[in-house]
Amino acid sequence: MSETRVPTADPTTPYEAATTTSAASVPGASARPAGASPVLTPLGLLTVLLGAALPMIDFFIVNVALPTIDRDLHAGPAMLEMVVAGYGVAYATLLVLGGRLGDMVGRRRLFLWGLAAFGVTSLACGLAPDAWTLVIARVAQGAASALLLPQVLATIQATTTGKRRAKAVSLYGGTAGVSSAVGQVLGGLLVSVNLAGTGWRAVFLVNVPIAVAAWLLAARTVPETRSPHPTRVDGPGTALLAATLITLLLPLTEGRAAGWPLWSWLLLAVFPFVAAAFAVVERRAERAGRTPLVPPSLLRIPSVHSGLSMIVPFSVGFGGFMFVVAVALQTGLHYGPFAAGLSLAPLCATFFIASLAGPRLVARFGRRVVVTGSLIQGVGLVALTLTVGAGWPDVSVASLAPSMAVLGIGQGMVLPVLLRIVLSELPATQAGVGGGVMVTTQQSGLALGVATLGTLFLSLLPSLGIRDALLAALLAQLAIVLFTTTLALRLPRTVR
């Protein structure tokens, strides 16, 4: 029986003597002995989770605003997909680099820089006068998110131990899942309310005051941590990882809308060679004693390998589901933005409740929580498929609620536990890069889900119609869920 153990800090060898901020900068710091490991207070944890929610929400918040953006900016299908894909590709490409930079220069510092950049780029998105400006601002917003998000998990890893860490990671997992659904609910509400005539622009402008408030809180409550042995940025590895993700994600997200031009097929053809080159360069760098961007030894840790292997298909299904549902409800059932977002509210609520129950369930049942959660998610998808198939075109928000609630329970039992498993055996010195790798895997999966299930749905529309195209996408996700259920059997039996 294998075990996944959460590493605890050795009180005689604190994680990092040089990581703590001055007593004046962290409330309560003066009560700790000099050189003690930094401690994340409840308010500090709330602050970093707020910072984590912002980029996650913005990955999805734009989905329900796309029709209004199209009408206002005359964007067209290809440009609209660039608004989604530009953020996702920049975000996923730079996440590991963001984690490495946090290890080097300080996670609190990068968290503050990321918050400031996210606020500025959100303002640029909200004020964009045309579609191309919006796309460029979204790419910049994705880059800012990549600076911000990896610092959250790394800070939790470096400042918590034992049960506090398990609870913090579960809360992070709950935040990750709920934020995705909340993004579409909040986006629909903001577009419908049309604050001061801002329309779709409000989905970006709302980030500015939130980022300012989070920045002020972080400056007071988040302790500084960094790797005790920071290494230089892996230039070749960074370039090859970026090329790997771009050659895969860009043609898949843009190819269909652009009519599958030659460049999309060329990029897909180049992808396996660039990916292989990245693996070779990283392996050689580690053998030579250097620290690669993604250390191959990190991926050989059993908990990391098994957890990431399941996060990929889970995220593909989740990302594709959120995109397809947003489009289908608005174009097929003619829901307004608010109704389309509101239909996901039961999923948000049950996801968060299930994620809070996760630590107690895992302590008692181990990996069976993930297996059970995956099966419950499958039941929710079957129920949703039957609801759509039998009720179309008179499917109300209320009729969707039961299946959405079941889906949320299943997903809330899976994702937070997977994140906890991946992080559980990471050494403290690799907290930043490990968190970056995990979040990159998750975000790449979300973007890939939008690209694959979204392309499947949109490609079937002309021949099958919206209802049958939606059913095909839901059945494809059900197949993915069944696959993840089998992968769950490879996870460590117990999670501590």
Side-chain angles (χ1 to χ4, degrees):
M1 179 181 296
S2 61
E3 292 189 355
T4 299
R5 300 184 179 275
V6 177
T8 56
D10 182 352
T12 62
T13 57
Y15 170 68
E16 156 138 50
T19 58
T20 54
T21 53
S22 66
S25 63
V26 180
S30 59
R32 297 195 303 271
S37 298
V39 174
L40 188 64
T41 64
L43 183 56
L45 176 61
L46 178 63
T47 301
V48 295
L49 291 179
L50 176 60
L54 285 172
M56 296 175 188
I57 286 173
D58 264 61
F59 191 94
F60 291 98
I61 197 171
V62 75
N63 283 349
V64 292
L66 290 175
T68 347
I69 293 172
D70 190 17
R71 287 195 299 269
D72 191 11
L73 301 183
H74 310 289
M79 195 63 69
L80 288 177
E81 290 202 20
M82 281 291 286
V83 171
V84 178
Y87 178 90
V89 172
Y91 187 16
T93 298
L94 298 173
L95 272 166
V96 179
L97 179 61
R100 175 60 56 82
L101 291 174
D103 288 348
M104 292 173 59
V105 305
R107 293 157 189 146
R108 174 178 174 271
R109 181 179 299 177
L110 257 291
F111 186 79
L112 292 173
W113 287 358
L115 277 173
F118 188 85
V120 170
T121 53
S122 295
L123 181 63
C125 289
L127 299 179
D130 53 58
W132 270 113
T133 305
L134 178 58
V135 169
I136 294 169
R138 281 285 283 174
V139 171
Q141 190 186 37
S145 298
L147 287 181
L148 172 62
L149 192 60
Q151 318 316 324
V152 176
L153 279 172
T155 297
I156 289 173
Q157 283 290 96
T159 58
T160 60
T161 58
K163 291 182 178 179
R164 290 186 67 246
R165 178 180 295 174
K167 182 178 180 180
V169 172
S170 293
L171 286 171
Y172 172 87
T175 301
V178 171
S179 296
S180 305
V182 164
Q184 296 191 184
V185 176
L186 179 61
L189 177 63
L190 290 172
V191 173
S192 298
V193 171
N194 193 23
L195 292 170
T198 54
W200 62 266
R201 299 179 187 276
V203 305
F204 300 115
L205 296 176
V206 71
N207 292 329
V208 178
I210 297 174
V212 170
W215 194 99
L216 293 173
L217 281 172
R220 294 282 301 169
T221 64
V222 178
E224 181 65 285
T225 63
R226 61 170 60 86
S227 172
H229 306 292
T231 57
R232 292 181 300 177
V233 172
D234 175 13
T238 301
L240 285 171
L241 177 62
T244 299
L245 292 174
I246 288 172
T247 54
L248 175 64
L249 296 178
L250 187 59
L252 287 179
T253 52
E254 279 299 298
R256 186 205 61 83
W260 296 109
L262 179 61
W263 64 261
S264 63
W265 294 109
L266 290 176
L267 286 179
L268 286 173
V270 168
F271 162 71
F273 298 100
V274 179
F278 172 69
V280 169
V281 166
E282 298 297 273
R283 188 161 50 246
R284 287 179 177 174
E286 190 167 55
R287 286 177 179 172
R290 300 190 299 274
T291 304
L293 185 71
V294 180
S297 59
L298 189 75
L299 303 179
R300 289 194 291 270
I301 298 173
S303 60
V304 175
H305 176 75
S306 61
L308 290 181
S309 297
M310 191 171 170
I311 283 176
V312 171
F314 177 90
S315 299
V316 167
F318 188 82
F321 172 82
M322 299 297 285
F323 176 80
V324 168
V325 166
V327 174
L329 294 183
Q330 291 184 88
T331 59
L333 297 177
H334 306 293
Y335 282 15
F338 179 62
L342 186 63
S343 65
L344 294 168
L347 186 152
C348 294
T350 55
F351 190 113
F352 192 66
I353 292 169
S355 67
L356 292 179
R360 291 190 297 275
L361 293 174
V362 166
R364 183 172 180 182
F365 300 109
R367 77 178 181 195
R368 283 178 289 177
V369 174
V370 180
V371 177
T372 303
S374 190
L375 290 173
I376 291 174
Q377 185 185 1
V379 170
L381 279 171
V382 171
L384 181 59
T385 302
L386 294 175
T387 300
V388 170
W392 194 276
D394 300 315
V395 181
S396 66
V397 172
S399 67
L400 293 173
S403 54
M404 289 291 186
V406 174
L407 268 170
I409 293 172
Q411 292 167 347
M413 292 173 66
V414 172
L415 182 60
V417 179
L418 288 180
L419 301 182
R420 179 177 166 187
I421 287 173
V422 171
L423 295 172
S424 61
E425 292 182 337
L426 280 180
T429 53
Q430 291 184 311
V433 66
V437 169
M438 186 182 71
V439 179
T440 296
T441 303
Q442 183 188 5
Q443 296 304 319
S444 299
L446 291 173
L448 192 58
V450 173
T452 53
L453 289 181
T455 296
L456 172 67
F457 170 73
L458 295 172
S459 299
L460 292 176
L461 276 181
S463 58
L464 298 183
I466 295 179
R467 188 200 75 153
D468 289 347
L470 174 59
L471 292 177
L474 291 177
L475 291 175
Q477 192 198 354
L478 180 61
I480 293 172
V481 168
L482 295 177
F483 176 62
T484 59
T485 305
T486 62
L487 290 177
L489 300 176
R490 300 174 54 206
L491 296 171
R493 290 183 181 273
T494 57
V495 183
R496 295 185 179 181

